Amino acid sequence: MTLKAGVVGWPIAQSKSPRIHGYWIKQHRLDATYEPIALSEDEFETGIRDLISEGFKGLNVTIPHKEAAFRLADKLSDRAQAIGAVNTLVFREDHIFGDNTDGIGFSANIKAKYPSWKGGNAPAAVFGAGGAARGIVWALLEIGYNEVRVFNRTVSRSIELASSFGDRVHAISGSLDEICKDADFFVNTTSVGMNGKGSIDVDLMHLKPDAIVSDIVYSPLETDLLRRARLSNFRTVDGLGMLLHQAVPGFEAWFDTKPVVTDELRQLVLS
Ligand code: NAP
């Protein structure tokens, strides 16, 4: 019987997930499908129940449904519980399991380029406090950072994020320069720089000279932030790999096959 999975969002046409999973299905010659499914917020819960009745194995969940998926799941992974959102649903025999793979996708991407990367020697600096930032803060704590500083345009949101992660995470209301002081990691988790729009007002020279600068925006692949970081001789990591690595656990859970992120897949998603 054909195994079925997909991605739900509203809108969904822009999603790159069908291309990623379609590549792996073909590569592993699986009798499986992965389709984009448009569900509005009103339709979300009944739509999911219908897909379960149709025999779907599970789904990726994207904007605006990650919090609704968190509420819908009967059981949650520890990381989904900590992050407060779900991007991967697995339909098990007697319950819906919710996971969040953004954080592990993020750290797998950094480690793919810099395998010895670990936290603990200096603070990490995070710009943004939205859904993606929550996954990344979780990942930075997991990797061993003792101090994660968060700056967001809307300060109340960074305060709320910091308070939900405990005393290793600090909301800083001053400026981006302030969170960068002597940090060895800086990441943009906001949409600033997407499609070349907007510029991040930060002086990267406040970072430690061996710092890694990362951007989770991947269109363009080299954002203005990453270009400035490269020209200042910082190590840089683009956001495309996070998108690819976050897809691995869902594919493995639904299709019982662990896929690998390759350069060929990167090129396919970019093309
Ligand atoms: P979200 O929950 O809506 O959060 C958006 C964040 O961007 C908030 O911190 C928001 O600040 C900030 N922001 C938006 N416009 C801004 C501006 N003009 N100036 C300063 N800050 C601004 O969205 P999200 O899910 O976290 O996604 C954020 C970005 O990450 C998107 O571009 C998304 O495509 C990308 N992303 C990439 C991956 C990947 O795999 N590479 C995964 C997830 C998300 P306020 O709170 O002040 O509004």
PDB file of all heavy atoms in Angstrom, residues 88-111:
ATOM      1  N   THR A  88       6.001  18.736  13.108  1.00  0.00           N
ATOM      2  CA  THR A  88       5.964  17.383  12.558  1.00  0.00           C
ATOM      3  C   THR A  88       4.937  16.563  13.342  1.00  0.00           C
ATOM      4  O   THR A  88       5.047  16.455  14.570  1.00  0.00           O
ATOM      5  CB  THR A  88       7.358  16.712  12.685  1.00  0.00           C
ATOM      6  OG1 THR A  88       8.319  17.553  12.053  1.00  0.00           O
ATOM      7  CG2 THR A  88       7.383  15.347  12.026  1.00  0.00           C
ATOM      8  N   LEU A  89       3.968  16.013  12.619  1.00  0.00           N
ATOM      9  CA  LEU A  89       2.962  15.145  13.257  1.00  0.00           C
ATOM     10  C   LEU A  89       3.154  13.724  12.758  1.00  0.00           C
ATOM     11  O   LEU A  89       3.379  13.503  11.559  1.00  0.00           O
ATOM     12  CB  LEU A  89       1.552  15.605  12.888  1.00  0.00           C
ATOM     13  CG  LEU A  89       1.067  16.924  13.504  1.00  0.00           C
ATOM     14  CD1 LEU A  89      -0.255  17.347  12.859  1.00  0.00           C
ATOM     15  CD2 LEU A  89       0.881  16.810  15.015  1.00  0.00           C
ATOM     16  N   VAL A  90       3.071  12.776  13.673  1.00  0.00           N
ATOM     17  CA  VAL A  90       3.141  11.358  13.308  1.00  0.00           C
ATOM     18  C   VAL A  90       1.843  10.719  13.788  1.00  0.00           C
ATOM     19  O   VAL A  90       1.494  10.823  14.976  1.00  0.00           O
ATOM     20  CB  VAL A  90       4.360  10.668  13.973  1.00  0.00           C
ATOM     21  CG1 VAL A  90       4.453   9.214  13.520  1.00  0.00           C
ATOM     22  CG2 VAL A  90       5.652  11.409  13.637  1.00  0.00           C
ATOM     23  N   PHE A  91       1.119  10.079  12.847  1.00  0.00           N
ATOM     24  CA  PHE A  91      -0.174   9.469  13.211  1.00  0.00           C
ATOM     25  C   PHE A  91       0.084   8.020  13.601  1.00  0.00           C
ATOM     26  O   PHE A  91       0.275   7.156  12.750  1.00  0.00           O
ATOM     27  CB  PHE A  91      -1.159   9.582  12.045  1.00  0.00           C
ATOM     28  CG  PHE A  91      -1.370  11.007  11.589  1.00  0.00           C
ATOM     29  CD1 PHE A  91      -1.528  11.325  10.247  1.00  0.00           C
ATOM     30  CD2 PHE A  91      -1.404  12.052  12.523  1.00  0.00           C
ATOM     31  CE1 PHE A  91      -1.711  12.640   9.839  1.00  0.00           C
ATOM     32  CE2 PHE A  91      -1.584  13.375  12.125  1.00  0.00           C
ATOM     33  CZ  PHE A  91      -1.740  13.669  10.768  1.00  0.00           C
ATOM     34  N   ARG A  92       0.106   7.774  14.897  1.00  0.00           N
ATOM     35  CA  ARG A  92       0.332   6.421  15.406  1.00  0.00           C
ATOM     36  C   ARG A  92      -1.021   5.742  15.606  1.00  0.00           C
ATOM     37  O   ARG A  92      -2.065   6.395  15.532  1.00  0.00           O
ATOM     38  CB  ARG A  92       1.134   6.475  16.711  1.00  0.00           C
ATOM     39  CG  ARG A  92       2.537   7.033  16.472  1.00  0.00           C
ATOM     40  CD  ARG A  92       3.327   7.037  17.762  1.00  0.00           C
ATOM     41  NE  ARG A  92       4.708   7.487  17.547  1.00  0.00           N
ATOM     42  CZ  ARG A  92       5.496   7.942  18.510  1.00  0.00           C
ATOM     43  NH1 ARG A  92       5.049   8.021  19.751  1.00  0.00           N
ATOM     44  NH2 ARG A  92       6.740   8.330  18.237  1.00  0.00           N
ATOM     45  N   GLU A  93      -0.954   4.438  15.863  1.00  0.00           N
ATOM     46  CA  GLU A  93      -2.190   3.646  15.925  1.00  0.00           C
ATOM     47  C   GLU A  93      -3.261   4.273  16.828  1.00  0.00           C
ATOM     48  O   GLU A  93      -4.402   4.409  16.447  1.00  0.00           O
ATOM     49  CB  GLU A  93      -1.867   2.249  16.415  1.00  0.00           C
ATOM     50  CG  GLU A  93      -2.853   1.233  15.897  1.00  0.00           C
ATOM     51  CD  GLU A  93      -2.156  -0.100  15.709  1.00  0.00           C
ATOM     52  OE1 GLU A  93      -1.327  -0.233  14.787  1.00  0.00           O
ATOM     53  OE2 GLU A  93      -2.440  -0.975  16.525  1.00  0.00           O
ATOM     54  N   ASP A  94      -2.830   4.688  18.038  1.00  0.00           N
ATOM     55  CA  ASP A  94      -3.851   5.157  18.986  1.00  0.00           C
ATOM     56  C   ASP A  94      -3.659   6.601  19.441  1.00  0.00           C
ATOM     57  O   ASP A  94      -4.335   7.061  20.348  1.00  0.00           O
ATOM     58  CB  ASP A  94      -3.874   4.235  20.215  1.00  0.00           C
ATOM     59  CG  ASP A  94      -2.492   4.139  20.842  1.00  0.00           C
ATOM     60  OD1 ASP A  94      -1.529   4.646  20.216  1.00  0.00           O
ATOM     61  OD2 ASP A  94      -2.372   3.593  21.945  1.00  0.00           O
ATOM     62  N   HIS A  95      -2.735   7.300  18.820  1.00  0.00           N
ATOM     63  CA  HIS A  95      -2.584   8.709  19.195  1.00  0.00           C
ATOM     64  C   HIS A  95      -1.814   9.511  18.125  1.00  0.00           C
ATOM     65  O   HIS A  95      -1.157   8.937  17.267  1.00  0.00           O
ATOM     66  CB  HIS A  95      -1.882   8.854  20.556  1.00  0.00           C
ATOM     67  CG  HIS A  95      -0.445   8.415  20.550  1.00  0.00           C
ATOM     68  ND1 HIS A  95      -0.072   7.121  20.778  1.00  0.00           N
ATOM     69  CD2 HIS A  95       0.704   9.108  20.343  1.00  0.00           C
ATOM     70  CE1 HIS A  95       1.245   7.024  20.725  1.00  0.00           C
ATOM     71  NE2 HIS A  95       1.740   8.217  20.449  1.00  0.00           N
ATOM     72  N   ILE A  96      -1.955  10.837  18.247  1.00  0.00           N
ATOM     73  CA  ILE A  96      -1.210  11.750  17.362  1.00  0.00           C
ATOM     74  C   ILE A  96       0.008  12.228  18.140  1.00  0.00           C
ATOM     75  O   ILE A  96      -0.119  12.764  19.250  1.00  0.00           O
ATOM     76  CB  ILE A  96      -2.073  12.975  16.981  1.00  0.00           C
ATOM     77  CG1 ILE A  96      -3.342  12.532  16.255  1.00  0.00           C
ATOM     78  CG2 ILE A  96      -1.272  13.954  16.138  1.00  0.00           C
ATOM     79  CD1 ILE A  96      -4.319  13.683  15.961  1.00  0.00           C
ATOM     80  N   PHE A  97       1.201  12.027  17.545  1.00  0.00           N
ATOM     81  CA  PHE A  97       2.442  12.439  18.204  1.00  0.00           C
ATOM     82  C   PHE A  97       2.950  13.724  17.553  1.00  0.00           C
ATOM     83  O   PHE A  97       3.007  13.830  16.322  1.00  0.00           O
ATOM     84  CB  PHE A  97       3.481  11.325  18.044  1.00  0.00           C
ATOM     85  CG  PHE A  97       4.813  11.639  18.680  1.00  0.00           C
ATOM     86  CD1 PHE A  97       4.954  11.651  20.062  1.00  0.00           C
ATOM     87  CD2 PHE A  97       5.923  11.937  17.893  1.00  0.00           C
ATOM     88  CE1 PHE A  97       6.180  11.945  20.653  1.00  0.00           C
ATOM     89  CE2 PHE A  97       7.152  12.237  18.478  1.00  0.00           C
ATOM     90  CZ  PHE A  97       7.272  12.241  19.862  1.00  0.00           C
ATOM     91  N   GLY A  98       3.304  14.706  18.386  1.00  0.00           N
ATOM     92  CA  GLY A  98       3.798  15.980  17.869  1.00  0.00           C
ATOM     93  C   GLY A  98       5.260  16.202  18.214  1.00  0.00           C
ATOM     94  O   GLY A  98       5.669  16.025  19.367  1.00  0.00           O
ATOM     95  N   ASP A  99       6.041  16.610  17.223  1.00  0.00           N
ATOM     96  CA  ASP A  99       7.464  16.855  17.444  1.00  0.00           C
ATOM     97  C   ASP A  99       7.804  18.236  16.881  1.00  0.00           C
ATOM     98  O   ASP A  99       7.043  18.810  16.087  1.00  0.00           O
ATOM     99  CB  ASP A  99       8.276  15.759  16.712  1.00  0.00           C
ATOM    100  CG  ASP A  99       9.736  15.715  17.138  1.00  0.00           C
ATOM    101  OD1 ASP A  99      10.107  16.429  18.105  1.00  0.00           O
ATOM    102  OD2 ASP A  99      10.500  14.971  16.512  1.00  0.00           O
ATOM    103  N   ASN A 100       8.935  18.763  17.304  1.00  0.00           N
ATOM    104  CA  ASN A 100       9.435  20.000  16.693  1.00  0.00           C
ATOM    105  C   ASN A 100      10.888  19.776  16.313  1.00  0.00           C
ATOM    106  O   ASN A 100      11.736  19.560  17.186  1.00  0.00           O
ATOM    107  CB  ASN A 100       9.297  21.188  17.654  1.00  0.00           C
ATOM    108  CG  ASN A 100       9.591  22.492  16.924  1.00  0.00           C
ATOM    109  OD1 ASN A 100      10.588  22.597  16.208  1.00  0.00           O
ATOM    110  ND2 ASN A 100       8.721  23.465  17.061  1.00  0.00           N
ATOM    111  N   THR A 101      11.167  19.825  15.023  1.00  0.00           N
ATOM    112  CA  THR A 101      12.505  19.481  14.523  1.00  0.00           C
ATOM    113  C   THR A 101      13.283  20.714  14.053  1.00  0.00           C
ATOM    114  O   THR A 101      14.371  20.569  13.507  1.00  0.00           O
ATOM    115  CB  THR A 101      12.390  18.470  13.362  1.00  0.00           C
ATOM    116  OG1 THR A 101      11.689  19.090  12.283  1.00  0.00           O
ATOM    117  CG2 THR A 101      11.641  17.218  13.790  1.00  0.00           C
ATOM    118  N   ASP A 102      12.723  21.916  14.261  1.00  0.00           N
ATOM    119  CA  ASP A 102      13.432  23.135  13.831  1.00  0.00           C
ATOM    120  C   ASP A 102      14.782  23.271  14.534  1.00  0.00           C
ATOM    121  O   ASP A 102      15.785  23.614  13.910  1.00  0.00           O
ATOM    122  CB  ASP A 102      12.586  24.387  14.134  1.00  0.00           C
ATOM    123  CG  ASP A 102      11.547  24.660  13.052  1.00  0.00           C
ATOM    124  OD1 ASP A 102      11.676  24.111  11.937  1.00  0.00           O
ATOM    125  OD2 ASP A 102      10.599  25.419  13.332  1.00  0.00           O
ATOM    126  N   GLY A 103      14.787  23.015  15.837  1.00  0.00           N
ATOM    127  CA  GLY A 103      16.021  23.190  16.611  1.00  0.00           C
ATOM    128  C   GLY A 103      17.106  22.202  16.211  1.00  0.00           C
ATOM    129  O   GLY A 103      18.260  22.584  16.004  1.00  0.00           O
ATOM    130  N   ILE A 104      16.731  20.927  16.062  1.00  0.00           N
ATOM    131  CA  ILE A 104      17.778  19.957  15.685  1.00  0.00           C
ATOM    132  C   ILE A 104      18.208  20.178  14.234  1.00  0.00           C
ATOM    133  O   ILE A 104      19.362  19.935  13.893  1.00  0.00           O
ATOM    134  CB  ILE A 104      17.397  18.478  15.930  1.00  0.00           C
ATOM    135  CG1 ILE A 104      16.051  18.146  15.356  1.00  0.00           C
ATOM    136  CG2 ILE A 104      17.480  18.112  17.398  1.00  0.00           C
ATOM    137  CD1 ILE A 104      15.845  16.638  15.266  1.00  0.00           C
ATOM    138  N   GLY A 105      17.270  20.667  13.398  1.00  0.00           N
ATOM    139  CA  GLY A 105      17.640  21.003  12.017  1.00  0.00           C
ATOM    140  C   GLY A 105      18.660  22.133  12.006  1.00  0.00           C
ATOM    141  O   GLY A 105      19.644  22.113  11.252  1.00  0.00           O
ATOM    142  N   PHE A 106      18.432  23.096  12.891  1.00  0.00           N
ATOM    143  CA  PHE A 106      19.341  24.240  12.994  1.00  0.00           C
ATOM    144  C   PHE A 106      20.738  23.790  13.430  1.00  0.00           C
ATOM    145  O   PHE A 106      21.743  24.114  12.795  1.00  0.00           O
ATOM    146  CB  PHE A 106      18.755  25.248  13.993  1.00  0.00           C
ATOM    147  CG  PHE A 106      19.680  26.358  14.368  1.00  0.00           C
ATOM    148  CD1 PHE A 106      19.883  27.422  13.505  1.00  0.00           C
ATOM    149  CD2 PHE A 106      20.355  26.340  15.580  1.00  0.00           C
ATOM    150  CE1 PHE A 106      20.752  28.443  13.844  1.00  0.00           C
ATOM    151  CE2 PHE A 106      21.216  27.356  15.933  1.00  0.00           C
ATOM    152  CZ  PHE A 106      21.406  28.418  15.052  1.00  0.00           C
ATOM    153  N   SER A 107      20.814  23.010  14.501  1.00  0.00           N
ATOM    154  CA  SER A 107      22.156  22.629  14.976  1.00  0.00           C
ATOM    155  C   SER A 107      22.830  21.632  14.040  1.00  0.00           C
ATOM    156  O   SER A 107      24.050  21.692  13.839  1.00  0.00           O
ATOM    157  CB  SER A 107      22.148  22.138  16.427  1.00  0.00           C
ATOM    158  OG  SER A 107      21.070  21.325  16.677  1.00  0.00           O
ATOM    159  N   ALA A 108      22.053  20.754  13.398  1.00  0.00           N
ATOM    160  CA  ALA A 108      22.670  19.814  12.434  1.00  0.00           C
ATOM    161  C   ALA A 108      23.295  20.587  11.280  1.00  0.00           C
ATOM    162  O   ALA A 108      24.364  20.223  10.762  1.00  0.00           O
ATOM    163  CB  ALA A 108      21.624  18.833  11.911  1.00  0.00           C
ATOM    164  N   ASN A 109      22.644  21.666  10.881  1.00  0.00           N
ATOM    165  CA  ASN A 109      23.164  22.488   9.784  1.00  0.00           C
ATOM    166  C   ASN A 109      24.487  23.160  10.159  1.00  0.00           C
ATOM    167  O   ASN A 109      25.447  23.163   9.387  1.00  0.00           O
ATOM    168  CB  ASN A 109      22.110  23.544   9.422  1.00  0.00           C
ATOM    169  CG  ASN A 109      22.531  24.416   8.263  1.00  0.00           C
ATOM    170  OD1 ASN A 109      23.157  23.929   7.309  1.00  0.00           O
ATOM    171  ND2 ASN A 109      22.186  25.689   8.325  1.00  0.00           N
ATOM    172  N   ILE A 110      24.562  23.700  11.383  1.00  0.00           N
ATOM    173  CA  ILE A 110      25.806  24.352  11.818  1.00  0.00           C
ATOM    174  C   ILE A 110      26.910  23.288  11.930  1.00  0.00           C
ATOM    175  O   ILE A 110      28.039  23.482  11.463  1.00  0.00           O
ATOM    176  CB  ILE A 110      25.651  25.052  13.187  1.00  0.00           C
ATOM    177  CG1 ILE A 110      24.416  25.958  13.227  1.00  0.00           C
ATOM    178  CG2 ILE A 110      26.931  25.797  13.577  1.00  0.00           C
ATOM    179  CD1 ILE A 110      24.492  27.272  12.554  1.00  0.00           C
ATOM    180  N   LYS A 111      26.549  22.142  12.504  1.00  0.00           N
ATOM    181  CA  LYS A 111      27.559  21.086  12.719  1.00  0.00           C
ATOM    182  C   LYS A 111      28.033  20.469  11.402  1.00  0.00           C
ATOM    183  O   LYS A 111      29.154  19.969  11.328  1.00  0.00           O
ATOM    184  CB  LYS A 111      26.993  20.012  13.638  1.00  0.00           C
ATOM    185  CG  LYS A 111      26.941  20.492  15.079  1.00  0.00           C
ATOM    186  CD  LYS A 111      26.924  19.342  16.049  1.00  0.00           C
ATOM    187  CE  LYS A 111      27.560  19.776  17.355  1.00  0.00           C
ATOM    188  NZ  LYS A 111      28.153  18.748  18.105  1.00  0.00           N
TER     189      LYS A 111
END
